[in-house]
């Protein structure tokens, strides 16, 4: 049975979509079967995975609104993972879901039909606690939280952890924190060092040892429609995301033992 990981942070600009794309590509490079779901109406994960609007017949909007089957909407990527792409039409799905009963269960129901076919399903969530994010958290087994080590980072994290705990205690008892990922990290920055230290102090078991550095090649890759592994496999960004995938795999094996 595969694992569903929601990648989310209510704060924008923390490397959420970059992590979604590059973790999916890294798992695929390690011969895991992976699906990436773009659940953000901005559609950055779709573009960053090399999928153009002209390739998308059915998007996440069509799937969530029961206008298409998930299997018919999935697109293969050159990085080796399957993608459920999106567009701004997803806002329509969000409004429709708000009018339905059990609206928070829709994505969980859809994914239950395919989870056995994948090792990992990653969900790139919007930077807000919307009905779309709620669907992701109800469907997920765990939550991966990218955190930029800067002012207000811990305040936003506290709010998100409270939300996760509320969902775990009411709707999805299996939901847990997969890990906290430090992104866009610059070890020469005193504030980054201080915030990183606080994270390690307060959440020693949850913070990944892998750190994603601030890296020019990593920032360039989305504009070329490619994960960093395919844009510059020798860059520090590519090395870091491969290391993260390896760390998640080791943690999973250790917990299963």
């Amino acid at each position: 049975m595969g694992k569903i990981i929601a990648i989310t942070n209510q704060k924008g600009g923390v490397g959420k979509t970059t992590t979604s794309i590059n973790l999916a590509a890294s798992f695929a490079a390690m011969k895991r079967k992976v699906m990436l779901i773009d659940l953000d109406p901005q559609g950055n994960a779709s573009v960053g995975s090399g999928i153009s609007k002209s390739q998308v017949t059915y998007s996440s909007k069509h799937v969530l609104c029961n206008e298409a089957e998930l299997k018919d909407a999935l697109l293969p990527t050159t990085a080796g993972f399957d993608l459920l792409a999106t567009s701004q039409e997803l806002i329509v799905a969000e409004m429709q879901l708000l009018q339905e009963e059990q609206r928070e269960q829709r994505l969980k129901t859809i994914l239950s039909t395919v989870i056995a076919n994948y090792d990992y399903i990653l969900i790139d969530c919007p930077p807000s606690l919307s009905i779309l994010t709620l669907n992701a958290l109800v469907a997920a087994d765990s939550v991966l939280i990218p955190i930029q080590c800067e002012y207000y980072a811990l305040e936003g994290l506290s709010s998100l952890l409270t939300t996760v705990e509320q969902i775990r205690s009411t709707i999805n008892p299996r939901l847990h924190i997969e890990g906290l990922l430090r992104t866009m990290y610059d070890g020469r920055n005193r504030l980054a060092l201080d915030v990183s230290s606080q994270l390690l102090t307060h959440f020693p078991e949850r913070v990944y040892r892998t750190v994603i550095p601030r890296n020019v090649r990593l920032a360039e890759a989305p504009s070329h429609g490619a994960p960093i592994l395919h844009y510059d496999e020798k860059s520090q960004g590519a090395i870091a995301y491969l290391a993260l995938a390896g760390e998640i795999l080791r943690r999973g094996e250790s917990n299963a033992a």
Side-chain angles (χ1 to χ4, degrees):
M1 184 68 72
K3 186 171 190 177
I4 303 173
I5 303 176
I7 301 175
T8 188
N9 192 322
Q10 290 158 258
K11 187 178 184 301
V14 297
K16 176 181 57 63
T17 297
T18 297
T19 295
S20 300
I21 296 169
N22 290 297
L23 185 56
S26 296
F27 278 144
M30 294 177 173
K31 308 303 181 185
R32 266 53 178 194
K33 182 67 174 172
V34 184
M35 180 201 302
L36 173 60
I37 298 175
D38 188 349
L39 212 60
D40 187 340
Q42 296 179 83
N44 291 333
S46 301
V47 175
S49 298
I51 300 299
S52 66
K53 291 181 180 179
S54 62
Q55 294 175 263
V56 181
T57 302
Y58 300 118
S59 68
S60 52
K61 178 262 183 184
H62 298 100
V63 174
L64 286 172
C65 292
N66 289 330
E67 297 169 1
E69 296 290 330
L70 176 58
K71 61 182 178 62
D72 296 325
L74 290 175
L75 297 169
T77 66
T78 56
F81 59 86
D82 293 337
L83 174 74
L84 176 58
T86 198
S87 68
Q88 289 188 336
E89 286 184 322
L90 188 57
I91 296 172
V92 176
E94 189 170 5
M95 291 186 291
Q96 289 187 19
L97 285 173
L98 288 171
Q99 301 171 25
E100 298 184 13
E101 294 183 1
Q102 293 190 314
R103 49 187 174 267
E104 74 281 354
Q105 302 279 347
R106 179 63 59 82
L107 185 60
K108 177 183 177 181
T109 300
I110 292 167
L111 294 182
S112 67
T113 64
V114 299
I115 184 61
N117 301 330
Y118 291 91
D119 296 306
Y120 288 96
I121 295 178
L122 306 180
I123 308 173
D124 182 31
C125 301
S128 62
L129 186 57
S130 63
I131 187 63
L132 296 174
T133 302
L134 181 58
N135 261 263
L137 295 177
V138 171
D141 298 298
S142 62
V143 183
L144 191 160
I145 306 173
I147 302 170
Q148 188 177 357
C149 294
E150 61 175 16
Y151 196 57
Y152 292 135
L154 293 179
E155 181 179 333
L157 174 61
S158 176
S159 175
L160 180 55
L161 291 178
T162 298
T163 298
V164 170
E165 177 56 29
Q166 290 173 340
I167 292 172
R168 189 196 67 77
S169 63
T170 57
I171 309 174
N172 182 4
R174 73 184 187 283
L175 186 67
H176 63 278
I177 302 299
E178 182 71 26
L180 309 179
L181 175 66
R182 291 164 288 174
T183 61
M184 292 177 275
Y185 186 78
D186 184 349
R188 299 168 298 178
N189 185 307
R190 180 59 184 271
L191 178 59
L193 290 171
D194 288 346
V195 173
S196 177
S197 177
Q198 290 183 55
L199 285 171
L200 290 167
T201 298
H202 290 93
F203 310 102
E205 302 300 320
R206 293 177 172 177
V207 179
Y208 289 114
R209 294 186 349 191
T210 302
V211 175
I212 308 301
R214 188 175 292 279
N215 180 253
V216 174
R217 302 297 276 174
L218 189 57
E220 291 174 349
S223 65
H224 293 266
I228 188 61
L229 270 177
H230 291 248
Y231 180 63
D232 186 350
E233 64 179 0
K234 296 181 180 179
S235 70
Q236 289 301 309
I239 293 169
Y241 275 111
L242 280 172
L244 174 64
E247 185 173 353
I248 292 173
L249 290 174
R250 288 192 299 275
R251 280 192 181 189
E253 291 168 357
S254 175
N255 292 335

